[in-house]
Amino acid sequence: QVQLQESGPGLVRPSETLSLTCTVSGGSLYDSLYFWAWIRQAPGKGLEWIGSGYYTGDTYYKPSLKSRVTISLDTSKSQFSLKLRSVTAADTAVYYCARDQEEKFDYWGRGTLVTVSS
Amino acid sequence: SYEVTQPPSVSVSPGQAASITCSGDKLSDRYVSWYQQRPGQSPLLVIFQDTKRPSGIPERFSGSNSGNTATLTISGTQTVDEADYYCQAWDSTTRVFGGGTKLTVL
């Protein structure tokens, strides 16, 4: 059974960089069938795909976030990470990591709330 | 960029069928997935590739996709089905979610 767990600071100052890590167990980041994704949900709002990474280093990002986002995979640690630069209050959200098979996200983490505030 | 649209809310009586739509340009050219999200929980995949159910999802959940509209149907809706539902489509480089539909069972 694949399991994902997000970790990282729950509070980030405006203009700084949000950094989160997702640790994967029960599955391999090397598996060519899957991408590894970050998705967020602002309080009371819907789901927003941020981007996805592949074991080859290929990455895809939501166009409106592309200039601020980096997703990277550390296959040796079974972890992948999210960096979101120059955050504002609008980036306050629950951040989920998920296994991405293009047409579906089949396994999700429990999510971690990140608040942007001074 | 591609967009998909859902109604904000749908209401249904227990035991009746609920239908939630997802609209997008030539949506039937793409696979659509559906997710259920109960309050305080992570989303759960309930339908993928338009019509397929993951293991463990009850048979009362079904999906279709034709023209510009995909539909999630819950037959014999139960109170436990009250939740937010999201559709999701994709192309080679992006994934997109609908805005979500709150299903109320009353």
Side-chain angles (χ1 to χ4, degrees):
Chain A
Q1 180 78 347
V2 176
Q3 294 185 317
L4 299 94
Q5 177 67 58
E6 304 88 352
S7 60
L11 179 65
V12 181
R13 307 295 185 193
S15 80
E16 296 189 344
T17 296
L18 179 159
S19 296
L20 295 175
T21 297
C22 182
T23 301
V24 179
S25 58
S28 172
L29 269 63
Y30 272 121
D31 195 327
S32 61
L33 289 176
Y34 306 111
F35 288 77
W36 302 90
W38 288 97
I39 296 155
R40 69 180 181 179
Q41 186 171 35
K45 302 297 184 181
L47 301 170
E48 179 183 26
W49 175 73
I50 298 170
S52 299
Y54 197 53
Y55 77 99
T56 57
D58 290 343
T59 51
Y60 301 114
Y61 302 126
K62 182 176 182 177
S64 61
L65 296 172
K66 187 175 183 178
S67 63
R68 297 195 292 133
V69 175
T70 300
I71 292 174
S72 57
L73 275 63
D74 187 338
T75 53
S76 66
K77 295 182 178 179
S78 290
Q79 293 178 334
F80 62 104
S81 65
L82 169 71
K83 293 189 183 300
L84 180 64
R85 296 175 288 278
S86 304
V87 297
T88 69
D91 296 310
T92 293
V94 174
Y95 285 76
Y96 296 99
C97 58
R99 192 173 78 171
D100 173 1
Q101 203 171 3
E102 295 185 306
E103 80 275 15
K104 67 180 186 287
F105 300 99
D106 56 357
Y107 289 95
W108 296 65
R110 298 182 69 174
T112 186
L113 174 62
V114 179
T115 301
V116 178
S117 175
S118 56
Chain B
S1 61
Y2 195 75
E3 295 182 357
V4 290
T5 303
Q6 300 179 235
S9 62
V10 168
S11 296
V12 64
S13 299
Q16 299 301 304
S19 293
I20 299 172
T21 58
C22 177
S23 299
D25 185 48
K26 298 179 182 178
L27 187 56
S28 60
D29 288 348
R30 305 165 186 260
Y31 277 138
V32 172
S33 293
W34 291 92
Y35 304 84
Q36 175 193 70
Q37 187 180 34
R38 296 190 175 108
Q41 295 187 12
S42 303
L44 173 70
L45 179 69
V46 295
I47 293 290
F48 68 99
Q49 290 183 7
D50 298 337
T51 62
K52 297 180 180 179
R53 280 181 293 105
S55 173
I57 300 301
E59 291 184 5
R60 65 180 181 274
F61 287 86
S62 63
S64 64
N65 187 5
S66 179
N68 295 326
T69 304
T71 303
L72 172 69
T73 301
I74 309 172
S75 305
T77 307
Q78 300 180 8
T79 55
V80 295
D81 299 327
E82 187 163 284
D84 294 326
Y85 290 84
Y86 296 89
C87 65
Q88 178 241 322
W90 71 285
D91 64 19
S92 60
T93 59
T94 64
R95 293 89 166 101
V96 62
F97 288 100
T101 299
K102 181 175 182 59
L103 178 66
T104 301
V105 183
L106 47 68

